[in-house]
Amino acid sequence: MSQFTPDADWLPFHPAPGKPNFTPPVGAVDAHCHVFGPGDTFPYAEKRKYTPCDAPKEKLWALRDHLGFTRNVIVQATCHGSDNSALVDALQHSAGKARGVATVDRDISDAELDTLHAAGVRGVRFNFVKRLVDTLPVDSLHEIAGRIKALGWHIVIYFEAAELPGLYDLFTGLPTTVVIDHMGRPDVSKAVDGPEFELFVKLMAENTNFWSKVSCPERLSFEGPPHYSDVIPFARRIVESFPERVLWGTDWPHPNMKNHMPNDAHLVDVIPHIAPTIELQKKLLIDNPMRLYWADEIN
Ligand code: 0GY
C-alpha cells in the first residue's frame, strides 16, 4: 500500500489510449507533460492542493513511443512543490530524450541551479492559478528571473484568462523568453475575436519574447471529446499568427480533470486541425521545442 491515496474524485490517466490517426513527424516533441511520484519514492509536497495517482516516468516513455513522439518536456506540477527530485530522476533516466521545467524557491543556491541545468532543466514555472497555489509568486518572480536568465533559461507562466489584465504588466516586464501554458486558458464559449482573447493575442503580438503552448483542449472545451472542436479556432489562430513561437503537449497525466479523462490519441488527432500544413506541424512539434529545449544539439 502506498502512503499516498489519490483524491476521491481523481481520474486516473487513460489505461490504453488508441493509436492516433495523425502520425507526428519523426522527432516530434511532447512539450508539456508531467511525472508524478511514485509517491513512495518521491513524496508529494506537504502543502499540495491535490494528491494525484502516481504517473511514473516509465509510463510516460511508453506513451511517448505509442503516440509516435520522440522527446518530452516534463513540467514540474504543484503537487511536488519546489522539490524537483521526481523531475530530475526522470530526466536523468531519459537517455537525453527529456528536458524539464522546474519550480524553484528564491533561496535556491547557484550550485543547485547548476545541478538542475546539468540534468536537463531549461526553464522555471510560475503558477498563478489560484486553486493551485496559496501565494502568488509575484515577489520572487523578478528575483528568480534575473538569476535564471544568466543560465539561458526561460520562464513558464500558468494563469487563467480572467487574471491576465491584472498580471499583464508584471509579465511584460520579464527579462527572458516567457512561455504561456495552454494559451492562457481562454474561455472558449466567448468569441475568438472578443476582448478576452484579443488581449492574449496582443500580448503575443507586441512581445516577441512570448511563446504559447497550444495545449489542453480537454481542459478548455465545453464540447469535449473526441474532437474538442470549440477549442480549435483559438489554437489555430495562435499557431497561424505566431508559427515560430508555439509549442504543443499532451498534458499527460491530465491533473485535475474532473469530468472526463481524455484518450491521448484524440488529443494528437487535434494537431492537424490547429496546424493544418506540414510546415506548421514541423515548427510546432520539432523546430520550436528543439530551439527552446535542445539548443545545444542544433547549434
Ligand atoms: C497542467 C494543469 C494543472 C495542474 C498543474 O502544476 C499543477 O499542479 O499544472 C491544472 O490543474 O490545471 O498544466 O497540467
Side-chain angles (χ1 to χ4, degrees):
M1 261 290 273
S2 167
Q3 61 175 305
F4 294 101
T5 307
D7 295 340
D9 59 350
W10 190 266
L11 294 180
F13 52 85
H14 197 293
K19 276 279 182 201
N21 294 317
F22 173 72
T23 305
V26 175
V29 182
D30 172 355
H32 185 93
C33 49
H34 309 285
V35 164
F36 293 157
D40 284 344
T41 312
F42 303 108
Y44 299 113
E46 216 167 284
K47 291 187 175 159
R48 67 190 179 278
K49 295 292 185 193
Y50 58 87
T51 304
C53 67
D54 288 339
K57 58 184 182 292
E58 295 82 3
K59 297 272 185 201
L60 180 61
W61 310 152
L63 182 77
R64 173 198 67 204
D65 296 345
H66 174 77
L67 296 176
F69 284 79
T70 304
R71 293 180 170 87
N72 296 105
V73 178
I74 304 173
V75 177
Q76 177 80 351
T78 53
C79 58
H80 275 302
S82 56
D83 177 355
N84 297 289
S85 313
L87 168 67
V88 166
D89 171 74
L91 300 181
Q92 288 174 338
H93 291 89
S94 72
K97 290 182 180 173
R99 292 254 154 115
V101 175
T103 297
V104 304
D105 295 324
R106 67 195 329 166
D107 59 4
I108 190 168
S109 69
D110 288 341
E112 285 169 309
L113 284 176
D114 288 344
T115 303
L116 291 174
H117 189 88
V121 170
R122 294 294 180 268
V124 290
R125 188 183 199 207
F126 290 94
N127 205 318
F128 292 86
V129 176
K130 288 179 177 157
R131 71 184 155 80
L132 293 173
V133 288
D134 285 324
T135 41
L136 299 183
V138 176
D139 285 351
S140 56
L141 186 58
H142 284 291
E143 190 179 325
I144 294 173
R147 292 180 63 200
I148 61 107
K149 182 178 161 63
L151 291 165
W153 291 9
H154 60 273
I155 292 172
V156 174
I157 48 176
Y158 189 24
F159 60 90
E160 305 196 297
E163 310 293 335
L164 182 55
L167 293 168
Y168 197 96
D169 292 344
L170 177 73
F171 291 162
T172 55
L174 291 171
T176 63
T177 294
V178 180
V179 179
I180 298 168
D181 279 340
H182 321 329
M183 299 184 286
R185 292 195 62 126
D187 176 348
V188 301
S189 69
K190 296 181 178 167
V192 69
D193 57 356
E196 187 179 273
F197 202 56
E198 286 299 342
L199 184 66
F200 179 76
V201 172
K202 173 173 145 68
L203 177 67
M204 290 289 296
E206 293 183 0
N207 301 277
T208 54
N209 58 322
F210 276 66
W211 295 41
S212 176
K213 291 179 197 163
V214 287
S215 43
C216 274
E218 77 281 14
R219 271 178 209 291
L220 305 175
S221 180
F222 294 98
E223 181 192 300
H227 301 304
Y228 304 103
S229 305
D230 48 349
V231 180
I232 287 170
F234 291 79
R236 185 163 169 164
R237 181 171 180 199
I238 298 303
V239 171
E240 290 183 334
S241 304
F242 311 106
E244 322 283 341
R245 296 189 269 132
V246 283
L247 301 169
W248 185 90
T250 55
D251 195 34
W252 186 89
H254 313 289
N256 300 307
M257 289 296 293
K258 301 297 182 201
N259 298 322
H260 81 287
M261 180 49 59
N263 179 326
D264 298 276
H266 294 159
L267 302 178
V268 175
D269 284 338
V270 171
I271 293 172
H273 298 282
I274 64 175
T277 67
I278 287 178
E279 197 195 356
L280 286 173
Q281 291 161 11
K282 183 168 172 289
K283 285 177 199 258
L284 176 66
L285 298 172
I286 304 174
D287 299 349
N288 298 346
M290 288 303 288
R291 216 160 73 239
L292 203 54
Y293 291 98
W294 279 272
D296 51 324
E297 289 190 16
I298 56 175
N299 287 333

